[in-house]
Amino acid sequence: MRFDVITIFPGMFGAVFEPGVVGRGIERGLIELHAHDLRDHTHDRHRQVDDMPFGGGPGMVIKPEPVFEAVESIRPHNPGPVVLMEPWGEPMDQRLAAELASEPGLIIVCGRYEGIDDRVRTALATREVSIGDYVLSGGEIPAMVLIDAVARLVPGVVGDPESLTQDTFSNESAGWPQFTRPAEYRGLGVPEVLLSGDHARIRQWRRQQAAARHGSQTKELKKS
Ligand code: ADE
């Protein structure tokens, strides 16, 4: 699966995705991640990507031309939808991550400044996605959240596929409390059942714990 990100801070993405699960997916050729500098699609000496808003008001607005031209230059390599990261977009959740993971690729546009010319939204973007009801200073961190959530669903990216099916949100038996050695630490023990070797009891205990922790969310997801 191929991710193309359009941003004025392309350098942010390497630092986040080189290490870890997504980085391994890139190394193994399962994922391609390309961060494109919006300024490379300007034609003036100052490589200006923003301008004053029509109608007045504070701040600057990202111009339409570099965004349209960036998407057009990427399009031959990526047939996927154009996702615009905006705080008022549809909420990012596990269901949306799974839906996006079924695409051959995504072209992700990161907003900045006071906003982005609305013609990008109406004539270029396929959908708008928000990572939560709060305003960040740009779409880069939201884009990273989306890429991480989607990339780990690409087959083979997460080494042990069982850890995907055991993920919180993926099914009922998810999100139970985990422990590792030592069995006692600073006077804090580990539930006896986990040390019992009785796998039927362990399964049952985990199911109960997961239901108590995430019951409402997992039920919501099961309905859909
Ligand atoms: N850009 C700024 N805030 C955002 C948010 N919460 N989600 C997506 N994009 C954003």
Side-chain angles (χ1 to χ4, degrees):
M1 180 168 188
R2 177 173 168 135
F3 297 90
D4 287 277
V5 188
I6 300 168
T7 167
I8 56 166
F9 296 123
M12 287 172 74
F13 287 82
V16 169
F17 288 119
E18 259 161 44
V21 168
V22 176
R24 262 205 321 279
I26 294 170
E27 261 172 35
R28 287 159 55 210
L30 301 167
I31 295 170
E32 272 185 59
L33 174 58
H34 302 271
H36 305 266
D37 192 340
L38 186 61
R39 293 190 197 283
D40 290 346
H41 298 276
T42 55
H43 303 288
D44 64 302
R45 206 152 48 88
H46 302 291
R47 291 161 53 89
Q48 193 175 342
V49 293
D50 58 349
D51 206 340
M52 291 182 299
F54 277 128
M60 300 289 271
V61 175
I62 293 193
K63 293 151 63 67
E65 307 99 303
V67 186
F68 274 76
E69 289 181 29
V71 169
E72 281 158 9
S73 74
I74 294 163
R75 185 49 87 206
H77 314 286
N78 189 335
V82 176
V83 179
L84 180 57
M85 304 311 299
E86 291 285 14
W88 48 78
E90 59 184 308
M92 184 69 206
D93 58 15
Q94 195 63 29
R95 189 169 20 214
L96 180 54
E99 188 185 331
L100 295 176
S102 70
E103 298 284 355
L106 299 175
I107 300 174
I108 303 170
V109 179
C110 304
R112 274 270 152 188
Y113 303 108
E114 251 46 46
I116 193 158
D117 188 288
D118 206 50
R119 287 165 288 191
V120 169
R121 182 181 67 83
T122 56
L124 194 60
T126 314
R127 62 206 301 172
E128 294 169 274
V129 174
S130 163
I131 63 157
D133 289 340
Y134 38 83
V135 179
L136 300 170
S137 48
E140 283 76 12
I141 291 171
M144 290 172 194
V145 169
L146 183 147
I147 291 167
D148 193 283
V150 172
R152 61 194 301 287
L153 300 179
V154 171
V157 168
V158 170
D160 176 2
E162 207 182 328
S163 68
L164 269 185
T165 55
Q166 291 185 355
D167 261 349
T168 307
F169 302 122
S170 291
N171 64 25
E172 193 73 40
S173 61
W176 49 72
Q178 298 276 31
F179 297 88
T180 186
R181 287 182 290 187
E184 190 181 317
Y185 179 65
R186 299 194 178 188
L188 304 169
V190 168
E192 174 278 324
V193 59
L194 298 179
L195 310 174
S196 69
D198 182 341
H199 293 289
R201 259 182 76 214
I202 291 171
R203 255 195 314 277
Q204 188 191 14
W205 180 85
R206 284 179 165 168
R207 221 174 283 134
Q208 284 165 351
Q209 293 288 317
R213 253 191 189 180
H214 301 290
S216 55
Q217 287 127 320
T218 48
K219 272 193 212 100
E220 275 303 305
L221 284 161
K222 279 194 104 180
K223 270 193 258 165
S224 57

